[in-house]
Amino acid sequence: MPMSPVARTRVGDALVYARTMLVFAVAWWAVSRWTDNPILLPSPLDVLAAMGDLAREGELFRQAAVSFGRMVLSLAIASALAIPLGLAMGLSKTFEAIVDPTVELLRPISGIAWIPLALFLFGIGNVLPVFIMTYAAFFPILLGTVAGVRAVDRSLVNAARTMGLPTRGIVTRVVMPAALPSLLVALRLGVAVAWTAVVASELIGAPSGLGYAVEWYRELLMTPQVMSFIAMIGLIGYICDGGVRLLSRTLTPWAPKRA
Amino acid sequence: MSADTIKLRLAGVGKRFAVAGKPDAVAVDDFSLDIRQGEFLVVVGPSGCGKTTVLNVLAGLDTATAGTVTIDERPIAGPGPDRGVMFQDYALFPWQTVRGNVGFGLKYGPAGASLSTAARNERIAHTIDLVGLKGSEDKYPHQLSGGMRQRVALARLIANEPDVLLMDEPLAALDAQTRTILQDELLRVWGQDRPASERRTVVFITHAIDEAVFLADRIAVMTAHPGRLKTIVDNPLPRPRTDATRALPEFQALVQRIWSLIRDEAYRATVA
Amino acid sequence: MSAATTLPGSAQGAGALRGRRALLGAALPVALLLLWQVLGTLSADPRMPLPSKIVAAAVTMIADGELPMAIVQSLGRVFAGFVVAALLAIPLGLAMGYSRAVERNVDPLVETFRPIAAIAVLPLAILWLGTGTSAAIAIVAYAAFFPLVVNTVAGARNVPPTLLRAAATMGLRKFTTVRTVVVPAALPQIGVGLRIAMGVGWTAIVAAELAVGAKAGGGGSGGIGQMMFVFYAYSIELNRIIVCMLAVGLVALLLDRILRWALARLMPWSAR
């Protein structure tokens, strides 16, 4: 990649982005004038105003913090369960043979399909969204860990063995670093599915959070507020994805870049 | 057209690549060469000497940054069906069968526009037969060996009946035995048994000197950094050439002579 | 790899190994189910779901046509939304992948809306289209649109350049090149997009039906998601909820298998 034109391209990209979004906003505004129904389609200016109000009152950030906190907690739990299990499955053929079919039986059942049962088990509250998200994020992280461990170059393991590393050293010094890029890709996927699940589970089964807020304002027919919270959901999803990618670059600078 | 007609002319051709923050990289510098109608010209040289750039300029896939390139005295502006290319990696379409690949240009390009479907199919079948792939028409590239893929690429090239065949190290990926067999076949398909006036013009790139000596009428020897034409060697070995040709002392002598021209440079390339 | 521990050619050894694997794999689910059954029977709560009761519930629900009907209803919506998404996303993705200018100008919109989960848009869809089928179809289309666009763009962008050059040397026109080279070369990646889109579409429909059931007070829109919610909200029939969950998983699995099979049929050239 040539180095010097990048900066110019970045500015250029920003301009193109702004231009496209401006065209979109003007089209939206025109349609909103034409339909002339602020409940069905408020103008982008109304949405901006509502967003400003919600931000000033702090409600936008409060609800975002609640949802974000739930997701971080869920990812932590899912990782704590899935990574050791994935390491064990990747390292031991026998263990993998025992556990894998059960995983494959549960995996197609989406987290969202657990919501009715979880409603019965946990009721409406904090536990339900965390449970659903943990479940949703668990499988991609598990599969990514297994795939990462499985793909570790045998000759790296053999090289470490010839250097006299004990098994534990091989796992922590060779297998885990080698599996890390794959694990981080899986974590990115886990964040995406967890964030999708947070909205669905809060929409139905939580008294707080972004999903709840969207539904709350819909029932009040306050569409600008609905759109503000939807935008917040997108923004946090985008930031989280960027965060994981940044984490990947920082933790595994040796790994080939992926889009 | 007489055998001395100039088919392709490269005059003072240069090619530079812009690299940000550095002086331009010179791939080819002041390259002049006339290629005659019906001749089999081989370009040899160490890796990185710009052989492929010269071929791509002739194909119209790259544009020269200096000099002129003409075919039949008309400047070359871009790729065209008058110049067929055989790529080093064969560039077979994985979703097409052998028949589909061989007929690709006839079906979708201008080469077969004037042909009826029957005539087109006839030519496809004939070409597949010519390269010895009869019976494999419905196979996909991934089901073929390297040598068979090479034959498909060759068949696709000649099915379009281009005036000029441009070949970029087409045998490089093959094992030594397959390579020897395909060299023989290539000369047969080119028409070394026929009079020179009925042959097509070939520009063939290789880094293997014995291959160059076996195939060529003339051998253009290139050196690297920057890529330049060092000399042109006439190849007096009689045609048709066969396995016996490889055993001739003249064959060995010519190989030695060309090797001595590029040895120092080839050596330096391995430590660069 | 198991091949490392088994001698090559010992088919019997491989068969025995596979048998052992199947036995090991079945052990855990069977043990868990038995444990569940035993502990559940000891429980005093009459609502406690039990494997035996779940099987019985499944049999009744299938026999009276309730479950198949709900699945068919949900599937119909998924297919409708899926087709809408494919018709919009694949041509757009091809244009974006083939033309830098289109990509540069449209990509901001795609990237802005992509992080917004389909379920988040559901309240808007309900607002615009009501609680019926059209809102559900819109949600599926929205969910399926993004993976399809992104994968189609990637497929069209990553056409091996040598294939495009081969087409150029055969004199193909732009539109012909897109039809005969770009589309088939992008097809495997589009297939990946289709499979992901089908998966997220199915998840989205369950979520949408659940949410509509939960928030629109039952309604008459039906589908498997709604059925689950009705069992929860009005009768707390956990056995039936679990039957629905299993059905959701089974359908997801079958959809993916069928799609994978269809794609393999469509692309006989791909090695796998």
Side-chain angles (χ1 to χ4, degrees):
Chain A
M1 275 279 117
M3 288 312 286
S4 67
V6 168
R8 207 184 63 211
T9 315
R10 201 168 267 178
V11 174
D13 281 351
L15 285 175
V16 172
Y17 183 91
R19 189 179 65 196
T20 299
M21 293 318 285
L22 190 70
V23 169
F24 175 75
V26 168
W28 171 7
W29 176 81
V31 175
S32 75
R33 289 300 298 263
W34 176 61
T35 53
D36 197 26
N37 184 337
I39 290 177
L40 227 46
L41 188 66
S43 100
L45 299 172
D46 294 344
V47 176
L48 272 183
M51 214 183 281
D53 289 344
L54 287 170
R56 221 166 306 116
E57 292 157 15
E59 191 187 348
L60 197 59
F61 305 117
R62 240 186 350 263
Q63 304 289 24
V66 168
S67 296
F68 183 75
R70 283 177 185 150
M71 183 181 64
V72 171
L73 181 62
S74 309
L75 282 173
I77 300 173
S79 305
L81 295 171
I83 294 174
L85 188 65
L87 273 174
M89 284 171 73
L91 290 170
S92 158
K93 279 271 154 207
T94 310
F95 188 69
E96 201 245 326
I98 293 171
V99 180
D100 186 59
T102 309
V103 169
E104 288 303 315
L105 283 174
L106 285 174
R107 194 164 67 96
I109 303 174
S110 57
I112 283 159
W114 281 84
I115 290 178
L117 190 64
L119 274 171
F120 171 76
L121 291 174
F122 309 118
I124 288 175
N126 259 320
V127 183
L128 182 136
V130 171
F131 170 78
I132 301 294
M133 277 191 281
T134 304
Y135 177 89
F138 175 82
F139 293 102
I141 298 177
L142 178 72
L143 296 186
T145 311
V146 175
V149 173
R150 196 68 64 62
V152 172
D153 192 345
R154 295 295 306 172
S155 59
L156 291 183
V157 174
N158 288 336
R161 204 167 272 152
T162 60
M163 288 182 250
L165 264 75
T167 305
R168 213 180 54 144
I170 288 175
V171 171
T172 56
R173 300 283 163 207
V174 181
V175 174
M176 281 169 65
L180 197 56
S182 163
L183 174 64
L184 286 164
V185 171
L187 187 66
R188 209 180 146 197
L189 202 61
V191 168
V193 296
W195 192 241
T196 304
V198 76
V199 182
S201 50
E202 285 175 351
L203 210 71
I204 300 168
S208 57
L210 291 169
Y212 168 81
V214 166
E215 185 53 29
W216 167 261
Y217 284 107
R218 182 193 68 83
E219 282 174 7
L220 298 176
L221 297 180
M222 292 166 74
T223 312
Q225 280 74 7
V226 171
M227 289 182 165
S228 303
F229 279 105
I230 290 177
M232 197 65 183
I233 290 169
L235 185 66
I236 294 184
Y238 181 78
I239 292 173
C240 288
D241 190 57
V244 178
R245 273 193 295 182
L246 187 69
L247 191 70
S248 305
R249 275 202 300 277
T250 323
L251 288 181
T252 60
W254 70 87
K257 301 258 180 302
R258 302 206 202 189
Chain B
M1 264 186 270
S2 92
D4 287 338
T5 315
I6 302 302
K7 185 71 189 173
L8 298 162
R9 168 167 283 165
L10 295 134
V13 167
K15 176 74 184 173
R16 291 163 179 272
F17 293 100
V19 182
K22 283 185 202 162
D24 286 2
V26 179
V28 174
D29 190 44
D30 195 24
F31 190 103
S32 297
L33 176 65
D34 289 345
I35 298 157
R36 299 181 204 121
Q37 165 71 36
E39 100 168 303
F40 199 123
L41 181 108
V42 176
V43 183
V44 287
S47 43
C49 73
K51 305 183 291 263
T52 295
T53 307
V54 170
L55 193 92
N56 283 343
V57 165
L58 286 171
L61 293 168
D62 260 346
T63 43
T65 47
T68 55
V69 198
T70 58
I71 174 165
D72 296 326
E73 295 172 5
R74 285 174 288 108
I76 289 173
D82 54 342
R83 286 150 289 136
V85 181
M86 188 160 156
F87 295 87
Q88 189 171 0
D89 60 358
Y90 312 147
L92 298 180
F93 300 105
W95 54 86
Q96 296 281 7
T97 59
V98 168
R99 188 184 284 118
N101 265 293
V102 173
F104 192 87
L106 293 177
K107 215 167 151 193
Y108 303 121
S114 61
L115 297 176
S116 69
T117 310
R120 209 181 283 163
N121 290 338
E122 162 62 28
R123 197 199 283 181
I124 294 169
H126 172 75
T127 317
I128 290 175
D129 195 18
L130 189 69
V131 298
L133 281 175
K134 207 167 188 168
S136 303
E137 287 92 340
D138 294 318
K139 286 189 174 151
Y140 286 100
H142 77 88
Q143 297 169 306
L144 304 174
S145 67
M148 284 166 91
R149 280 181 216 174
Q150 200 273 349
R151 286 166 191 262
V152 178
L154 180 62
R156 185 175 71 182
L157 178 66
I158 57 185
N160 296 323
E161 300 196 341
D163 287 351
V164 177
L165 311 180
L166 303 170
M167 308 176 126
D168 185 6
E169 305 213 25
L171 308 178
L174 302 175
D175 64 84
Q177 287 151 31
T178 312
R179 202 169 163 150
T180 305
I181 291 166
L182 285 168
Q183 286 167 3
D184 293 340
E185 299 245 336
L186 182 58
L187 287 183
R188 182 174 62 79
V189 169
W190 172 63
Q192 70 165 347
D193 305 315
R194 287 189 300 242
S197 59
E198 288 175 23
R199 295 173 187 159
R200 288 172 197 286
T201 313
V202 178
V203 180
F204 186 106
I205 305 268
T206 183
H207 61 261
I209 297 168
D210 56 340
E211 184 167 280
V213 171
F214 184 73
L215 296 172
D217 291 324
R218 286 193 303 158
I219 299 158
V221 182
M222 286 187 75
T223 55
H225 310 297
R228 279 203 178 111
L229 182 60
K230 182 157 188 167
T231 185
I232 297 172
V233 179
D234 279 313
N235 185 348
L237 293 170
R239 292 192 189 273
R241 294 180 191 152
T242 60
D243 274 343
T245 310
R246 295 180 217 273
L248 294 174
E250 296 93 315
F251 182 92
Q252 295 304 331
L254 198 52
V255 169
Q256 276 308 316
R257 192 175 134 212
I258 292 167
W259 174 232
S260 68
L261 287 170
I262 59 174
R263 178 176 47 211
D264 292 348
E265 183 131 11
Y267 175 75
R268 251 179 285 140
T270 61
V271 293
Chain C
M1 284 282 105
S2 59
T5 53
T6 320
L7 286 171
S10 66
Q12 213 178 3
L17 208 73
R18 207 171 306 133
R20 200 177 80 102
R21 266 188 80 93
L23 214 65
L24 280 175
L28 187 61
V30 169
L32 287 175
L33 285 174
L34 279 176
L35 194 69
W36 181 4
Q37 181 75 33
V38 170
L39 290 180
T41 316
L42 298 177
S43 149
D45 193 336
R47 290 177 308 185
M48 181 74 190
L50 287 176
S52 56
K53 287 186 186 171
I54 291 168
V55 173
V59 171
T60 347
M61 286 163 76
I62 295 169
D64 65 15
E66 194 182 8
L67 183 66
M69 194 54 221
I71 290 176
V72 165
Q73 214 168 4
S74 296
L75 275 179
R77 291 171 180 156
V78 169
F79 287 131
F82 188 72
V83 168
V84 170
L87 289 178
L88 293 172
I90 294 176
L92 180 69
L94 284 173
M96 287 171 70
Y98 189 63
S99 155
R100 281 272 157 197
V102 174
E103 200 255 23
R104 222 165 125 79
N105 284 295
V106 178
D107 193 51
L109 274 180
V110 173
E111 287 305 312
T112 301
F113 286 98
R114 192 155 75 102
I116 301 177
I119 310 306
V121 187
L122 181 70
L124 277 184
I126 293 175
L127 197 65
W128 289 338
L129 302 166
T131 54
T133 291
S134 38
I137 291 174
I139 291 305
V140 172
Y142 181 90
F145 178 81
F146 293 100
L148 270 173
V149 166
V150 171
N151 280 285
T152 307
V153 171
R157 169 107 32 89
N158 294 334
V159 178
T162 159
L163 296 184
L164 292 171
R165 304 175 116 210
T169 62
M170 288 185 255
L172 265 68
R173 277 178 307 185
K174 230 175 188 181
F175 183 74
T176 318
T177 306
V178 171
R179 187 168 59 87
T180 61
V181 181
V182 177
V183 171
L187 214 48
Q189 190 71 48
I190 295 176
V192 171
L194 286 172
R195 283 178 59 196
I196 298 174
M198 190 59 101
V200 297
W202 179 245
T203 305
I205 200 70
V206 174
E209 288 169 353
L210 261 177
V212 167
K215 294 300 170 183
S221 61
I224 182 126
Q226 173 129 40
M227 192 161 102
M228 288 170 89
F229 193 80
V230 168
F231 287 141
Y232 162 73
Y234 300 110
S235 46
I236 315 220
E237 290 185 74
L238 297 183
N239 292 312
R240 293 189 159 216
I241 291 179
I242 293 171
V243 171
C244 290
M245 287 169 62
L246 294 173
V248 166
L250 198 63
V251 171
L253 204 63
L254 282 176
L255 280 178
D256 191 58
R257 285 286 151 84
I258 291 169
L259 202 55
R260 204 157 66 179
W261 174 84
L263 287 167
R265 288 293 299 264
L266 190 67
M267 293 177 274
W269 67 82
S270 52
R272 270 167 297 154

